[in-house]
């Protein structure tokens, strides 16, 4: 079948088969280093994308579900101010996820901050289970989330500069 | 890769691709032990080919690496899943399918799976040491106790499955792989291709948390990719699937440690008779190192006048087993700490009291070693840890609860334990390839400093440490310091990144090279390069044959306490709090050290609660993602560094959680359930069974 959707702001039209996983379809459409399908079971989080603003595991999502949707990968998200806030928060908190999961963890934080602009520790810990890579110290990561939230809110509400 | 690229952005093997690249999948043996193996060549689609040992030999290549490992099983098969050949082609999925359907004919033999009682032909390495007169001591002693402690096959979820990519770069072959020991990869590939080592360039890809599971196995996969690239004259990539990585990559060796002890009424050791058996699977080039590290660790903590110690590395027909998290020492620490718990329950003392009367300190020695010259801060660590964790009160309370309510009907099933341990940066290998390290620093015309570690790979925390060290010496901003990607492209031998040598040896070389460069600065024109090199055996007073010498040079000391709770309905243990007190010398980047330790503690706990890999059993997908502690259930972690040692040189600390936590976890578990299972890891169902039996 043919589906059309918007990928990182650009309209796409592609042929898929009924059993195709979305992650593989996206990989064929361009160079997306953030998509490293590994577990294919919704554990590692290395295939996270936003579909119509919702964070999804693209390895578990059938490609046909993308029809008519708007998909944003890390490559699309990285150009936004929201992403810069998160990178700032990670640096300030000295939280450095490994190269395998860094992009997935940024997407994970972005999703949390989108849903809960001022998250509490329990919210952060709950969200962390989305990406299973245990490379990063959870305390530093939680601190990074709070700093990112602070930075983002300051920017959005035009408070003091970061 | 451009010359300016730094190791902050190492490539990821899964994402690497070259024009005209082919993929290879490994054809694996179905028998655990067989002879006269012959690969049946099926009809293949156009563009696909099978690479078998006979074809490799016919092309004048070798099947054996520089360290004597076989790249493919030729006639004899020694474990189920052993590589027999490759299917090479343009579609990785079809290659996988073809590799799984390619069969071989063989004469099956009865596999050797027994290892606790074994034949002499199974011994890969053995060592015996005797000190004093153990027999006499056992005859006279008031208390003689004997117990066997088992460690299962632990596995670690690697950041990326095993793989390698081989591609021609004009007149050299470039190997891309995630290895802790790039020089070993280079020498292995050179040996199988029968070319000089200088013709091979190893470019290390992102490693993630390797835990010593990427020491020598990547060399074999790199050889397989290199052979395929040579025969096909195109770039070839091998990347295991997650399942393949889980089933066929090296794991921590199984161990059985038998300890017979003679003690006086206070619990002081009079004699120890210890037998360590490590099941290393079909083969392991690190067998000698594993045995020596285990022997050193088991006698390292406590003093005893008479010891008989024998250790064996035993071969069986299962996949190669080796190091994980610590090379052999965690088995030893687990066994000796578990035995002290056992003694404590027999003579009605706390484990901490027994440790206090036996702990090694300044002036003591084992195995005829010269008395220790420096003070080992175990007593200080132990006191601090007791204070932080409120150990004595909690231990007494949980003992009381256990006595009042043996069946745990009130639902409070908790335990607390405290263990001591250490890690050193010493290897028992005498080969220069294992013990030589080189660092080069270059200050360029833009006043940017680049650090070349000649293949030594560092984690993010280590890279930050090296940068801070160099920037501190040269009084420059850390932003102007870059770590070059680890490339191994010359005849220089650079040892493996293991035993926390990144923090100890490489960091000290960065410091030395930076100081040498500082002396040249303002005297010579830019760019200025300075090099520092070390070959370890000259500096270490440690005889690997007799275990005589100063075994603790460069050691970090640590005490770990853990409090756990058992779910009385499911038997699942959950850690509530972890405390660590560490003397690791000077801490260069305090926040990074703490963050790195916290991550290591969680990884070590995941190993403790994880399921045991069953190398003789059938594969099971549920193990592909191992049980992990949920982030919402992470224990409180409290880490303290001893202040008085801050001025000394930095020492390693990354392995301390892996060395001490299994023993602490087991001891806390024992207190909680009131039974000594004498094995790790333990599933919730087994704990529940023990609890119900109690």
């Amino acid at each position: 079948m043919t589906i059309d959707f918007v990928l990182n702001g650009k309209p796409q039209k592609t042929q898929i088969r009924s059993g195709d996983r979305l992650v593989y379809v996206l990989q064929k459409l361009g160079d997306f280093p953030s998509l490293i399908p590994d577990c294919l079971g919704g554990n590692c989080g290395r295939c996270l994308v936003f579909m119509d603003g919702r964070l999804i595991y693209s390895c578990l999502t059938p490609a046909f579900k993308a029809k008519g949707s708007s998909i944003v990968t890390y490559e699309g998200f990285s150009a936004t101010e929201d992403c810069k806030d998160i990178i700032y928060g990670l640096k300030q908190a000295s939280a450095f996820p490994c190269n395998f999961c860094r992009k997935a963890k940024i997407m994970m934080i972005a999703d949390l901050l989108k849903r809960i602009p001022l998250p509490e520790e329990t919210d952060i810990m709950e969200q962390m289970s989305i990406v299973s890579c245990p490379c990063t110290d959870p305390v530093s990561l939680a601190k990074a989330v709070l700093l990112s939230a602070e930075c983002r809110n300051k920017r959005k509400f035009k408070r003091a500069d970061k | 890769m451009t010359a300016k690229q730094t190791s902050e952005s190492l490539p990821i093997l899964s994402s690497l691709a070259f024009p005209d690249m082919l993929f290879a999948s490994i054809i694996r043996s179905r028998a655990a032990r067989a002879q006269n193996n012959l690969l049946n060549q099926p009809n293949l689609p156009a563009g696909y080919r099978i690479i078998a040992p006979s074809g490799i030999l016919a092309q004048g290549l070798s099947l054996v690496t520089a360290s004597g490992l076989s790249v493919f099983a030729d006639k004899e098969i020694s474990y189920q899943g052993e590589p027999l050949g490759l299917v090479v082609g343009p579609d990785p999925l079809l290659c996988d399918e073809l590799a799984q359907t390619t069969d071989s004919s063989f004469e099956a033999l009865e596999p050797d799976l027994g290892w606790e009682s074994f034949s002499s032909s199974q011994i890969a390495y053995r060592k015996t040491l005797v000190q004093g007169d153990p027999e006499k001591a056992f005859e006279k002693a008031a208390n003689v106790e004997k117990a066997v402690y088992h460690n299962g096959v632990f596995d670690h979820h690697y950041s990326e499955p095993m793989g390698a990519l081989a591609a021609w770069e004009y007149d050299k072959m470039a190997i891309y792989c995630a290895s802790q020991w790039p020089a070993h990869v280079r020498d292995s590939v050179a040996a199988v291709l029968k070319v000089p080592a200088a013709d091979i360039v190893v470019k290390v890809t992102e490693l993630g948390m390797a835990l010593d599971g990427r020491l020598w196995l990547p060399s074999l996969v790199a050889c397989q990719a290199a052979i395929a690239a040579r025969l096909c004259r195109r770039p070839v990539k091998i990347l295991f699937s997650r399942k393949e990585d889980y089933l066929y990559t090296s794991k921590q060796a199984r161990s059985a440690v038998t300890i017979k002890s003679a003690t006086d009424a206070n619990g002081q050791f009079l004699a120890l008779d210890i037998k360590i058996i490590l099941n290393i699977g079909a083969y392991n080039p690190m067998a000698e190192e594993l045995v020596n590290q285990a022997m050193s660790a088991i006698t390292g903590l406590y003093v005893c006048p008479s010891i008989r110690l024998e250790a064996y590395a035993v071969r069986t027909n299962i996949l190669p087993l080796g190091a994980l998290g610590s090379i052999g020492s965690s088995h030893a620490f687990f066994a000796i700490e578990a035995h002290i718990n056992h003694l404590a329950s027999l003579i009605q003392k706390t484990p901490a009291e027994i440790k206090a009367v036996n702990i090694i300190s300044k002036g003591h020695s084992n195995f005829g070693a010269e008395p220790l010259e420096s003070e080992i801060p175990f007593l200080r660590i132990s006191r601090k840890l007791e204070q932080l964790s409120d150990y004595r009160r909690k231990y007494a309370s949980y003992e009381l609860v256990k006595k009042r309510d043996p069946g745990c009907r009130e639902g409070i099933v908790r335990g607390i334990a405290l263990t001591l341990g250490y890690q050193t940066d010493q290897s028992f290998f005498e080969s220069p390839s294992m013990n030589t390290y080189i660092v080069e620093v270059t200050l360029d015309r833009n006043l940017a400093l680049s650090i070349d570690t000649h293949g030594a790979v560092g984690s993010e925390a280590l890279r930050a440490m090296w940068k801070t060290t160099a920037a501190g010496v040269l009084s420059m901003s850390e932003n102007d310091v870059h770590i070059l990607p680890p490339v191994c492209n010359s005849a220089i031998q650079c040892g493996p990144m293991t035993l926390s040598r990144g923090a100890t040896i490489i960091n000290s070389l960065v410091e030395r090279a930076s100081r040498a460069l500082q002396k040249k600065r303002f005297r010579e024109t830019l760019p200025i390069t300075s090099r520092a090199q070390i070959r370890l055996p000259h500096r270490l007073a440690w005889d690997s044959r007799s275990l005589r010498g100063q075994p603790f040079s460069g050691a970090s000391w640590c005490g770990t306490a853990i409090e756990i709770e058992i779910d009385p309905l499911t038997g699942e243990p959950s850690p509530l709090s972890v405390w660590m007190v560490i003397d690791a010398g000077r801490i260069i980047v305090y926040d990074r050290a703490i963050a790195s330790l916290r991550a290591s503690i969680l990884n070590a706990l995941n190993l403790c609660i994880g399921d045991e890999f069953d190398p003789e059993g059938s594969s099971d997908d549920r193990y592909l993602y191992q049980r992990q502690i949920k982030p919402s259930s992470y224990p409180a972690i409290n880490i303290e560094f001893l202040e008085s040692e801050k001025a000394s040189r930095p020492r390693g600390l990354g392995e301390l959680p892996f060395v001490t936590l299994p023993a602490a976890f087991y001891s806390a578990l024992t207190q909680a359930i009131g039974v000594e299972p004498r094995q790790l890891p333990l599933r919730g169902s087994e704990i529940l069974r023990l609890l119900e039996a109690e």
Side-chain angles (χ1 to χ4, degrees):
Chain A
M1 71 179 93
T2 304
I3 57 165
D4 48 1
F5 57 95
V6 177
L7 177 58
N8 294 335
K10 290 179 186 164
Q12 299 282 348
K13 198 170 201 174
T14 184
Q15 282 282 335
I16 59 157
R17 290 171 298 178
S18 59
D20 283 351
R21 293 172 190 259
L22 178 60
V23 64
Y24 292 131
V25 172
L26 295 177
Q27 278 186 323
K28 281 179 190 164
L29 288 173
D31 182 23
F32 298 113
S34 68
L35 300 177
I36 319 169
D38 181 357
C39 70
L40 302 179
N43 277 305
C44 68
R46 295 178 196 170
C47 63
L48 289 173
V49 296
F50 285 109
M51 183 193 269
D52 292 331
R54 264 185 61 226
L55 192 68
I56 58 155
Y57 293 105
S58 61
C59 71
L60 290 182
T61 308
F64 64 78
K65 281 210 164 187
K67 190 176 178 183
S69 68
S70 171
I71 292 175
V72 179
T73 65
Y74 174 80
E75 286 73 17
F77 176 69
S78 61
T80 62
E81 286 297 314
D82 285 356
C83 184
K84 285 173 193 164
D85 293 337
I86 297 168
I87 292 170
Y88 169 81
L90 287 168
K91 272 190 186 167
Q92 289 298 306
S94 293
F96 292 97
C98 69
N99 278 348
F100 293 101
C101 71
R102 184 180 300 142
K103 291 162 187 171
K105 282 187 175 150
I106 289 174
M107 296 286 272
M108 173 190 90
I109 297 171
D111 174 61
L112 175 68
L113 296 184
K114 193 182 271 184
R115 290 186 292 107
I116 311 170
L118 279 172
E120 291 185 357
E121 199 175 334
T122 47
D123 303 319
I124 299 169
M125 290 298 169
E126 195 77 19
Q127 184 80 353
M128 272 187 205
S129 56
I130 289 177
V131 181
S132 68
C133 183
C135 64
T136 324
D137 160 38
V139 177
S140 309
L141 204 57
K143 195 174 157 193
V145 175
L146 295 175
L147 285 168
S148 306
E150 191 186 335
C151 178
R152 172 178 299 196
N153 291 330
K154 275 184 179 173
R155 178 172 56 78
K156 287 197 171 165
F157 294 99
K158 297 194 168 72
R159 297 294 191 267
D161 290 340
K162 67 183 177 189
Chain B
M1 246 184 271
T2 61
K4 281 193 174 176
Q5 190 171 2
T6 61
S7 68
E8 279 89 335
S9 56
L10 287 181
I12 290 175
L13 186 67
S14 325
S15 309
L16 271 180
F18 284 80
D20 296 328
M21 188 173 78
L22 297 175
F23 296 88
S25 295
I26 297 173
I27 304 164
R28 297 188 178 275
S29 75
R30 290 185 171 79
R33 189 176 170 214
Q35 61 183 12
N36 296 329
N37 178 59
L38 193 66
L39 211 56
N40 301 328
Q41 304 253 356
N43 291 328
L44 295 171
Y48 290 81
R49 68 182 285 186
I50 282 186
I51 294 175
S54 54
I56 296 167
L57 294 172
Q59 292 290 324
L61 307 180
S62 171
L63 289 173
V64 183
T65 69
S67 49
L69 297 171
S70 279
V71 181
F72 294 107
D74 190 5
K75 298 288 179 202
E76 296 200 359
I77 290 169
S78 54
Y79 70 94
Q80 193 176 24
E82 191 168 11
L84 303 178
L86 294 174
V87 176
V88 188
D91 181 357
L93 294 177
L94 189 54
C95 285
D96 272 350
E97 203 177 300
L98 291 167
Q100 280 166 26
T101 51
T102 303
D103 212 349
S104 68
S105 54
F106 49 80
E107 285 173 35
L109 300 169
E110 188 62 33
D112 283 326
L113 298 176
W115 59 284
E116 287 191 66
S117 54
F118 50 87
S119 64
S120 56
S121 63
Q122 284 179 263
I123 299 173
Y125 183 75
R126 68 171 288 182
K127 192 160 177 173
T128 309
L129 291 167
V130 182
Q131 170 184 294
D133 190 348
E135 290 303 327
K136 202 172 168 184
F138 278 114
E139 280 170 19
K140 286 185 178 175
N143 303 314
V144 176
E145 278 303 317
K146 186 178 177 183
V148 188
Y149 304 94
H150 289 95
N151 234 307
V153 181
F154 288 87
D155 191 21
H156 167 60
H157 187 84
Y158 296 99
S159 301
E160 188 182 39
M162 180 74 75
L165 192 158
W168 292 102
E169 277 187 0
Y170 182 46
D171 57 342
K172 290 180 192 281
M173 180 172 276
I175 304 287
Y176 295 82
C177 72
S179 166
Q180 290 174 261
W181 197 355
H184 190 263
V185 175
R186 181 199 58 201
D187 294 346
S188 302
V189 173
V192 295
L193 297 186
K194 294 189 177 171
V195 297
D199 287 353
I200 309 295
V201 180
V202 180
K203 299 187 175 185
V204 182
T205 56
E206 188 64 44
L207 192 58
M209 196 175 253
L211 301 184
D212 293 337
R214 296 289 193 245
L215 272 174
W216 58 271
L217 198 56
S219 304
L220 276 190
V221 184
C223 288
Q224 290 159 354
I227 287 172
R230 168 80 175 262
L231 297 183
C232 300
R233 301 192 175 279
R234 282 166 71 177
V236 174
K237 181 172 168 179
I238 298 176
L239 188 66
F240 288 15
S241 66
R242 264 290 162 205
K243 188 167 184 172
E244 208 178 1
D245 187 71
Y246 173 73
L247 291 174
Y248 304 121
T249 57
S250 187
K251 328 236 173 272
Q252 180 172 277
R254 261 184 188 158
S255 70
V257 182
T258 309
I259 302 179
K260 184 180 169 189
S261 63
T263 50
D264 66 12
N266 287 325
Q268 189 158 15
F269 287 132
L270 303 173
L272 281 169
D273 186 355
I274 301 171
K275 186 179 180 183
I276 303 170
I277 304 170
L278 297 172
N279 179 351
I280 58 160
Y283 56 85
N284 191 318
M286 308 284 288
E288 186 180 337
E289 184 75 16
L290 286 167
V291 166
N292 279 308
Q293 292 280 0
M295 288 177 90
S296 170
I298 209 157
T299 54
L301 281 177
Y302 304 107
V303 181
C304 181
S306 300
I307 309 176
R308 180 170 54 235
L309 178 55
E310 53 181 326
Y312 300 85
V314 177
R315 275 191 294 260
T316 54
N317 292 117
I318 56 172
L319 82 161
L321 301 173
L324 191 76
S326 64
I327 302 180
S329 47
S330 68
H331 302 274
F333 285 127
F334 157 67
I336 195 77
E337 294 290 304
H339 193 70
I340 285 178
N341 276 333
H342 176 61
L343 293 178
S345 65
L346 289 176
I347 57 177
Q348 300 296 312
K349 282 183 178 287
T350 68
E353 284 169 327
I354 297 191
K355 285 171 196 176
V357 295
N358 288 299
I359 198 78
I360 197 160
S361 60
K362 189 176 179 180
H364 285 143
S365 70
N366 268 345
F367 283 117
E370 289 163 24
L372 283 168
E373 289 164 359
S374 53
E375 188 58 73
I376 295 178
F378 275 142
L379 283 177
R380 276 197 300 146
I381 287 174
S382 190
R383 272 199 293 270
K384 183 85 182 166
L385 206 51
E386 284 184 17
Q387 189 189 348
L388 281 175
S389 62
D390 196 9
Y391 172 79
R392 283 176 192 268
R393 187 187 66 79
K394 285 180 179 170
Y395 183 86
S397 311
Y398 297 150
E399 282 294 303
L400 201 62
V401 168
K402 200 168 65 182
K403 276 177 193 157
R404 281 188 185 166
D405 181 25
C408 303
R409 284 181 297 273
E410 288 172 22
I412 302 165
V413 196
R414 283 190 182 188
I416 187 166
L418 183 157
T419 60
L420 302 169
Y422 64 89
Q423 71 165 82
T424 73
D425 58 8
Q426 295 176 74
S427 159
F428 289 84
F429 270 131
E430 288 163 7
S431 150
S433 63
M434 182 81 179
N435 295 305
T436 306
Y437 294 86
I438 297 171
V439 166
E440 245 174 37
V441 294
T442 303
L443 190 66
D444 67 19
R445 289 198 173 92
N446 300 320
L447 295 180
L449 187 81
S450 55
I451 300 174
D452 186 354
T453 55
H454 284 277
V457 196
S459 64
E460 173 55 43
L462 273 179
R463 292 170 205 161
M465 185 181 185
W466 300 340
K467 277 184 180 183
T468 308
T469 300
V473 171
L474 294 165
S475 307
M476 58 195 294
S477 161
E478 281 178 38
N479 294 333
D480 294 330
V481 182
H482 307 286
I483 315 285
L484 293 179
V487 174
C488 180
N489 59 356
S490 59
I492 291 172
Q493 289 291 355
C494 189
M497 284 301 278
T498 182
L499 302 164
S500 288
R501 287 180 171 183
T504 53
I505 290 155
I506 300 289
N507 192 67
S508 111
L509 291 178
V510 168
E511 191 171 350
R512 269 173 51 193
S514 303
R515 286 196 193 288
L517 192 139
Q518 176 73 339
K519 285 180 186 165
K520 294 181 194 173
R521 205 174 172 185
F522 310 118
R523 290 187 177 84
E524 293 178 17
T525 51
L526 294 171
I528 309 170
T529 297
S530 173
R531 174 192 270 205
Q533 180 172 349
I534 194 168
R535 196 171 157 181
L536 290 174
H538 294 301
R539 292 188 59 199
L540 299 176
W542 180 244
D543 183 344
S544 67
R545 290 184 212 295
S546 63
L547 294 186
R548 284 165 201 269
Q550 291 289 339
F552 300 125
S553 75
S556 303
W557 314 102
C558 152
T560 300
I562 183 169
E563 186 180 6
I564 65 164
E565 185 169 42
I566 311 284
D567 185 325
L569 294 176
T570 63
E572 294 293 342
S574 47
L576 300 174
S577 299
V578 176
W579 299 266
M580 279 188 97
V581 176
I582 295 169
D583 171 6
R586 181 160 52 97
I587 304 298
I588 293 180
V589 192
Y590 187 83
D591 290 349
R592 293 284 174 90
I594 293 273
S596 161
L597 271 169
R598 275 202 213 106
S600 294
I601 286 170
L602 293 173
N603 276 291
L605 283 173
N606 282 336
L607 288 182
C608 294
I609 67 154
D611 286 318
E612 185 187 354
F613 176 80
D614 180 8
E616 291 110 11
S618 58
S619 65
D620 192 338
D621 279 1
R622 75 195 166 92
Y623 292 126
L624 294 177
Y625 264 85
Q626 290 168 318
R627 213 145 42 111
Q628 290 189 349
I629 303 171
K630 285 182 187 163
S632 51
S633 313
Y634 280 158
I637 296 172
N638 188 338
I639 300 165
E640 290 227 355
F641 291 106
L642 282 187
E643 287 182 4
S644 60
E645 295 290 334
K646 274 186 178 169
S648 64
R649 74 181 179 93
R651 302 194 294 260
L653 43 76
E655 288 181 18
L656 291 172
F658 295 97
V659 166
T660 53
L661 257 170
F665 183 84
Y666 169 83
S667 306
L669 190 75
T670 306
Q671 195 199 18
I673 62 177
V675 187
E676 291 180 44
R678 293 180 189 169
Q679 68 176 70
L680 264 185
L682 272 173
R683 288 182 191 177
S685 54
E686 288 167 54
I687 295 171
L688 198 61
R689 188 178 53 76
L690 291 167
L691 204 56
E692 282 167 358
E694 172 71 3

